[in-house]
Amino acid sequence: MLSALVEKARLEVATVKATVDIYESVRSQAYPPPNNSGAAGGGAGGTHGLPVVPPYSSWKVYDHCAAYTKLYAIWEGFVRNLVGSWLARLPSLYSGYSELPERVRKGHSHGVAVVLARAASPRHRHLSELNMLEGLHSGLSGKADYTLLPEAFFHDGQNLKDDTLEQLLSRLSLTKPWEWIGRQEAMIDYMGNVRGGSSTPRSELRDLVKRRNEASHGEVGEVVSSQELKKVADYVTILCEATASFVTRALLDRMLVVGRAGEVGKVIHAYSDNLVEISLTRGVLRVGERVFALRVHECIDALAIGLQVNGMNVAQVAGGEGVVVGVRMSRRVHLHSRLALIP
């Protein structure tokens, strides 16, 4: 449902990691060991066939600042796009503006007023006053085609550290994000196996924002290794994935309430190689169809890439009493997951 946003973030983070590796490789040619422990050399001369290179320590600082600045930009851009996607879908899930959760209505109306007062600022120059007001006016007028202005929820201009993210999502009626984020399998694995239990999802984000601010606005007190930069990059990917699954679950829960999605069964056996056996009680499941596997604090977006009934490959299966289907999923789905489809 929000997989395109996650994939975009993954690709951008992968580019950062690849760039870190390339710069480290080139730097090791320019300053081969043991002369790379803070040498002030460089300059003219084309070391090892390279063009003019900067001093070793300055080069490391530059890479450090560039990586942290870009990783934070990826995170902030991802959240802005995620919020925009959430807001774009709400009018189809709440037929009238007055039916929206109170937090969303209050956050939107207050935010529109703030943005309107700052209409001349560089942050809002892309919006006309009509752009700012038309969605709110349509909603308050009772029109079904109302829209919600994403900029109304980003008016404070704060960095998206842990508490700011929590406050932002709360204004969108998305509560307790860190409880969800901290319970995602990939995040648990990262905190245990990569960080050794020395940090938390929230403290990792605070450190990212702190180092990005130092890189952009202040003195860099500590330059981290290329390996550490790649660990931080992996965290950003996992954080984006976890936050997207949190919002996806909220969207799906609402879609189930209003009949835009339906539960069709549950996983009764789970095997290796992403194979599961499901009890398909209703609906029709087709090869290639997107399936949402739901458990407490879990929402896995997967594709059904193969179906079998009684050992025979089939293209689709209609649900009903006693219908059991073998399914190869595009990713691992857990035992006892409830399965939902969007028609």
Side-chain angles (χ1 to χ4, degrees):
M1 193 183 304
L2 300 171
S3 56
L5 299 182
V6 175
E7 185 60 23
K8 180 176 183 290
R10 284 196 194 108
L11 291 173
E12 289 179 335
V13 170
T15 298
V16 173
K17 292 178 68 176
T19 302
V20 168
D21 280 338
I22 290 170
Y23 284 176
E24 189 66 25
S25 176
V26 173
R27 188 163 42 246
S28 69
Q29 296 177 52
Y31 294 99
N35 299 316
N36 63 358
S37 58
T47 308
H48 291 270
L50 296 171
V52 175
V53 295
Y56 180 86
S57 57
S58 299
W59 195 351
K60 290 284 287 184
V61 170
Y62 180 88
D63 288 357
H64 170 102
C65 293
Y68 273 107
T69 300
K70 182 57 179 177
L71 288 171
Y72 176 77
I74 293 169
W75 163 242
E76 182 175 301
F78 171 80
V79 172
R80 287 182 176 275
N81 290 333
L82 189 67
V83 168
S85 294
W86 167 255
L87 293 173
R89 285 170 167 83
L90 288 186
S92 67
L93 301 175
Y94 294 89
S95 59
Y97 188 86
S98 62
E99 295 181 15
L100 286 168
E102 184 179 10
R103 288 182 179 182
V104 177
R105 285 188 285 108
K106 285 187 174 181
H108 184 246
S109 60
H110 173 72
V112 168
V114 172
V115 170
L116 188 62
R118 301 172 182 172
S121 71
R123 185 185 294 269
H124 300 125
R125 281 179 187 164
H126 65 290
L127 295 170
S128 68
E129 292 180 345
L130 180 59
N131 293 148
M132 297 175 187
L133 287 170
E134 60 185 350
L136 179 61
H137 179 267
S138 294
L140 294 176
S141 301
K143 296 180 179 179
D145 60 345
Y146 68 94
T147 58
L148 298 164
L149 183 70
E151 288 83 355
F153 294 89
F154 288 97
H155 56 76
D156 51 23
Q158 295 186 53
N159 294 144
L160 282 171
K161 54 184 186 295
D162 60 316
D163 55 345
T164 309
L165 176 71
E166 194 165 42
Q167 292 161 13
L168 168 65
L169 296 182
S170 178
R171 293 196 294 271
L172 296 161
S173 199
L174 297 165
T175 58
K176 300 182 179 179
W178 290 105
E179 183 176 329
W180 176 281
I181 291 168
R183 295 191 184 189
Q184 299 310 292
E185 193 172 275
M187 187 64 80
I188 292 171
D189 179 72
Y190 179 88
M191 289 299 152
N193 294 327
V194 178
R195 292 310 191 193
S198 63
S199 63
T200 68
R202 298 184 72 143
S203 68
E204 285 283 321
L205 182 55
R206 286 196 298 270
D207 187 66
L208 169 62
V209 173
K210 173 178 173 291
R211 290 183 183 276
R212 175 266 180 183
N213 287 342
E214 289 175 351
S216 299
H217 310 300
E219 289 291 326
V220 176
E222 175 192 10
V223 177
V224 304
S225 68
S226 60
Q227 291 303 312
E228 174 62 18
L229 289 174
K230 291 191 290 184
K231 289 177 183 178
V232 176
D234 288 337
Y235 166 77
V236 171
T237 297
I238 295 167
L239 180 62
C240 289
E241 292 170 346
T243 309
S245 73
F246 172 69
V247 176
T248 298
R249 179 58 179 270
L251 282 169
L252 197 59
D253 285 347
R254 180 61 185 174
M255 293 173 79
L256 289 167
V257 169
V258 300
R260 296 284 301 278
E263 284 195 28
V264 296
K266 65 179 180 181
V267 177
I268 56 177
H269 292 101
Y271 307 102
S272 59
D273 298 323
N274 300 334
L275 292 172
V276 295
E277 200 170 60
I278 68 172
S279 170
L280 189 67
T281 55
R282 61 179 66 85
V284 177
L285 180 60
R286 300 173 177 85
V287 171
E289 191 153 27
R290 191 171 298 279
V291 180
F292 295 91
L294 311 176
R295 296 195 303 171
V296 177
H297 295 108
E298 186 173 85
C299 178
I300 294 176
D301 180 348
L303 295 177
I305 58 178
L307 302 176
Q308 279 196 348
V309 177
N310 297 324
M312 301 290 292
N313 292 330
V314 296
Q316 65 179 49
V317 184
E321 185 176 353
V323 175
V324 175
V325 188
V327 186
R328 182 180 294 278
M329 295 290 194
S330 60
R331 55 187 296 195
R332 187 158 67 99
V333 171
H334 295 101
L335 183 64
H336 304 311
S337 295
R338 296 179 292 121
L339 302 178
L341 299 176
I342 301 174

